[in-house]
Amino acid sequence: MSGLGVSAPRLLLRKLHQVMAGHGDAEQRLNEIVRLIAGNMIAEVCSCYLMRAGDVLELFATHGLKKDAVHQTRLRLGEGLVGDIAAQARPLNLSDAQSHPQFAYRPETGEEEYHSLLGTPVLRGGRVIGVLVVQNRTQRSYTEEEVEALQTVAMVVAELVSSEQMVASTEFSDTAGNATLPHRIAGSVLAEGLATGYALLHEPRIEVIRALAEDRALELQRLSKAVEALQSSVDALLTATNTMFQDESREIFEAYKMFAHDKGWLKKLEDAVKTGLTAEAAIKRVQDDTRARMKEITDPYLRERLSELDDLANRLYLHLDGHEMIDRRNLDEDTIVVAHAMGAAELLDYDRRHLKAVILAEGTRSSHVAIVARALGVPVVGQCEEIVEAVEQGDFILVDGEHGQVFLRPGEDVQEAFFQNVGQRAKRQAKFAALRDIPNVSKDGVKLSLNVNAGLLIDVDHFHTTGADGIGLFRTELQFMVRSQMPKVDEQTALYSKVLDSLDGAPVIFRTLDVGGDKVLPYLKTRAEENPALGWRAIRIGLDRPALLRSQLRALVQAAAGRQLSLMFPMVAEVSEFIEAKAILNKEIERASQRKGGAPSKVNVGTMIEVPSIVWQLEHLLKEVDFVSVGSNDLMQFFFAVDRGNPKISDRYDSLSPSLLKLLRKIADDCNANGIPLSICGDIAGRPLEALALLGLGYRNFSMSAASLGPVKEMVLSAEIAKLQKFVQGLCDVRDHSVRDQLRAFARDHSIVV
Ligand code: PEP
Ligand code: MG
């Protein structure tokens, strides 16, 4: 059997064009389309199934199967080969369909005569809205061109099904209506808060509204203009790359440049337009092809290159005229950004005035995007797996960052309940605000220090509004992440001065640059690492590239001239690293003391405790440092060998596990015995129940996100520490997975608010 010739797509598309422009209702046109496809592909059967409400695929049109089966044959998503194509959202090419384990025989169709089958999903906005199938009597394998041709036709079918005129037709209404149904998606809270707004997709999605071109020459022109714009934007990216770490960053941009100018890729796009597709449909066509190739390649390097090509197709689409480029710095009011995953730097890119919330398909509470979101006060619900597929650009959404759920296109009753929640939350916030000026003293008179974590200037305001004792962790890298170039020493000095000025003598601990891992600087493109969390990051970069660390220390020392400076180093794994870093600092202090501004009046140098190995060198470390601060996010990550950014394992180990409590107890005991001030600034410091356990272990200084301060303070004011200490000591030695229940029961019995 010869199948589809090379010139056939053009012919087929021209005929489809006539059908689309012609008369007849939706069903008649669909019948005509399946007849044309069967004829062109020399197939005995061509059928079109469409998705109805409730994830049921219904046979809507067929050429070749028994006509009685139309509107009778229905398959659930995942059922039979058609259901499988829809569930997997990918084509299936089988020479003997009936021997496939998924084959579901439907006698009313009379399909037992047909052996080979080629099916492809009909996609709209990334969502499967139907399946298109051709079948032949003989056992044959369809060629790559035929698969591509059917996918192209599927685009036209998608257009027909979704066009407004069709949606109005009764037959298709509930199919297309799926996209507008209300939908609740459960996830988990990454940053607290409630918000309402309109969806904006973070990753551009190629939407083919019109697949068939009206005017081929015009489409070619649109494509070539977009290609030119893409090429110059990629060239600009390349020249804008900072000279520092040039090798690493250039590599990625060079690859983009190479592809953007690649003749093969450009020709494929042009050819697709020449067959009669719009520029959008052509880009989608070529992208689908890249994706199909990607699935077959196992070599990680080649896969990476292909994924760059995939991204480039998205960018090209955005350059087509008629598409508005999303200007992240100028959002529409009440924007809710929806993404698969997002880095902290990308979040910082968005216009904060109008960004109301973020919804992620992935993400964990201790990932940096969540930390930055909490700093900004932007609610985030993560691990909403289906969100990207379910949402449409501009959908109205309610984000419930208290219970970890989002409501897409909510009905009135849901909206009403949600707004009641908003009111209750405001009341709670008012209650916390009323605690602001009450001293941080436990019920039995123990004085505690409650601080906020910061990194952006907005956090400095939080320090004032919450009434915190100080800033226990200033993540300096956030300032580096919001810029497109490495800030110069003077710029850094000005910023640190501003922080010190506005704190007016209250304590602030600056942490030196903690980049690498998932904290990416746009101008510091490091080579991809297999295990970035265990890789070249934080103090390791600082010691390997002392110029970078030195310039930051110089800025900090200059900013604190004549006043007190407290700073600490991140990710210290052994004492020698601390000593080496401190030596660089001492040189800077010495240098400043000989210059006009002078040195700080006092410098306190400490380290984060984030890598378990340093806990076994505490006896040496505590002789060198002025203070230490536990970074429990990373400490837990390395202690349990559990990637802090991986939602699959984020609940596997509990932060109230006896083994972790024992580790935290050792740190507290050693520091208290040596008279070295100790604080804790990881996420657990901001959770009332965890903070209660920490109080029992001897921690007295906590630093947390601004939103956590009220709830933790409420707990502290209601706790009696003397009784608690004995109880928590006992919990360290049990063999349970977690002591959460025991601790909660203790809190309840002792009227501690957690
Ligand atoms: C930590 O690891 O607990 C910490 C406070 O640092 P970061 O979250 O910035 O890695
Ligand atoms: Mg850390």
Side-chain angles (χ1 to χ4, degrees), residues 368 371 473 475 477 511 514 519 608 610 631-634 644 681-682:
H368 287 110
I371 289 169
L473 165 66
R475 292 181 164 101
E477 62 275 6
R511 178 177 72 185
D514 182 12
K519 291 186 208 170
M608 301 272 296
E610 295 178 288
S632 52
N633 304 336
D634 277 313
R644 66 190 266 188
C681 59

Side-chain angles (χ1 to χ4, degrees), residues 326-331 348-353 482:
I326 296 166
D327 180 359
R328 290 184 183 169
R329 301 200 174 248
N330 269 310
L331 297 177
L348 287 168
D349 233 18
Y350 280 102
D351 171 359
R352 258 164 266 150
R353 293 165 307 156
V482 288

Side-chain angles (χ1 to χ4, degrees), residues 583-741:
I584 301 175
L585 171 67
N586 285 341
K587 273 201 191 133
E588 286 308 314
I589 298 172
E590 179 62 33
R591 179 181 180 274
S593 63
Q594 288 158 9
R595 299 196 161 223
K596 202 165 123 238
S601 57
K602 183 167 191 302
V603 180
N604 294 313
V605 202
T607 177
M608 301 272 296
I609 306 274
E610 295 178 288
V611 186
S613 58
I614 196 70
V615 181
W616 275 266
Q617 279 202 316
L618 279 177
E619 75 269 32
H620 303 300
L621 182 79
L622 296 177
K623 292 196 180 85
E624 302 294 332
V625 293
D626 297 313
F627 67 91
V628 296
S629 187
V630 175
S632 52
N633 304 336
D634 277 313
L635 188 64
M636 267 187 81
Q637 157 162 270
F638 301 127
F639 185 60
F640 286 117
V642 64
D643 179 349
R644 66 190 266 188
N646 184 340
K648 268 212 187 100
I649 43 176
S650 59
D651 291 333
R652 181 152 198 106
Y653 306 102
D654 196 1
S655 46
L656 287 174
S657 77
S659 57
L660 184 70
L661 292 185
K662 246 182 183 163
L663 180 75
L664 293 167
R665 178 175 69 180
K666 173 172 166 46
I667 300 169
D669 288 351
D670 287 5
C671 288
N672 293 336
N674 285 277
I676 293 295
L678 163 72
S679 65
I680 178 154
C681 59
D683 199 46
I684 60 172
R687 293 191 230 148
L689 196 64
E690 276 84 343
L692 181 68
L694 291 164
L695 278 180
L697 294 174
Y699 287 75
R700 298 291 176 261
N701 187 320
F702 300 79
S703 193
M704 63 202 81
S705 67
S708 301
L709 208 106
V712 170
K713 185 160 184 173
E714 197 178 24
M715 179 279 287
V716 159
L717 297 178
S718 61
E720 279 183 71
I721 293 179
K723 277 187 200 159
L724 176 72
Q725 257 165 339
K726 241 169 110 191
F727 182 73
V728 176
Q729 287 295 332
L731 293 181
C732 288
D733 296 313
V734 301
R735 49 179 273 184
D736 307 24
H737 160 70
S738 163
V739 297
R740 190 166 291 276
D741 291 344

Side-chain angles (χ1 to χ4, degrees), residues 169-203:
S169 124
T170 46
E171 285 303 352
F172 290 96
S173 58
D174 61 352
T175 307
N178 255 352
T180 58
L181 290 177
H183 198 22
R184 172 187 171 273
I185 300 177
S188 65
V189 180
L190 306 194
E192 285 78 7
L194 304 171
T196 63
Y198 300 90
L200 174 75
L201 289 168
H202 175 65
E203 294 103 351

Side-chain angles (χ1 to χ4, degrees), residues 199-381:
L200 174 75
L201 289 168
H202 175 65
E203 294 103 351
R205 189 156 73 189
I206 301 182
E207 301 265 11
V208 182
I209 306 291
R210 215 166 35 84
L212 296 174
E214 296 285 333
D215 178 344
R216 204 162 299 172
L218 181 73
E219 292 303 318
L220 277 172
Q221 209 178 36
R222 290 182 69 223
L223 179 70
S224 93
K225 261 172 75 182
V227 166
E228 263 171 47
L230 173 78
Q231 288 171 340
S232 46
S233 79
V234 171
D235 293 350
L237 260 179
L238 201 54
T239 40
T241 318
N242 195 282
T243 46
M244 209 150 181
F245 301 95
Q246 218 176 27
D247 291 352
E248 291 88 349
S249 56
R250 283 194 86 84
E251 196 179 305
I252 293 172
F253 295 132
E254 289 284 7
Y256 271 72
K257 182 173 173 164
M258 192 183 81
F259 287 130
H261 293 267
D262 180 72
K263 294 222 169 58
W265 186 60
L266 298 174
K267 180 157 187 320
K268 265 192 177 174
L269 290 163
E270 255 180 48
D271 284 351
V273 171
K274 283 180 185 161
T275 61
L277 294 178
T278 56
E280 285 85 354
I283 297 172
K284 181 83 185 76
R285 199 47 298 219
V286 174
Q287 187 186 47
D288 283 347
D289 184 40
T290 311
R291 287 185 177 168
R293 277 200 288 152
M294 232 155 90
K295 286 211 174 97
E296 280 154 25
I297 286 175
T298 49
D299 180 276
Y301 178 81
L302 287 178
R303 279 183 68 94
E304 188 70 17
R305 296 284 85 84
L306 284 177
S307 83
E308 278 154 14
L309 196 52
D310 187 84
D311 183 36
L312 212 60
N314 289 335
R315 284 168 187 251
L316 178 60
Y317 167 78
L318 290 176
H319 281 290
L320 283 175
D321 61 349
H323 293 278
E324 259 178 72
M325 290 288 257
I326 296 166
D327 180 359
R328 290 184 183 169
R329 301 200 174 248
N330 269 310
L331 297 177
D332 287 340
E333 267 177 39
D334 297 344
T335 295
I336 292 180
V337 171
V338 177
H340 255 292
M342 197 193 282
E346 290 175 291
L347 175 63
L348 287 168
D349 233 18
Y350 280 102
D351 171 359
R352 258 164 266 150
R353 293 165 307 156
H354 299 313
L355 176 65
K356 290 291 179 276
V358 173
I359 308 171
L360 300 176
E362 298 180 1
T364 64
R365 227 191 127 76
S366 58
S367 59
H368 287 110
V369 66
I371 289 169
V372 171
R374 289 201 290 274
L376 297 175
V378 175
V380 183
V381 176

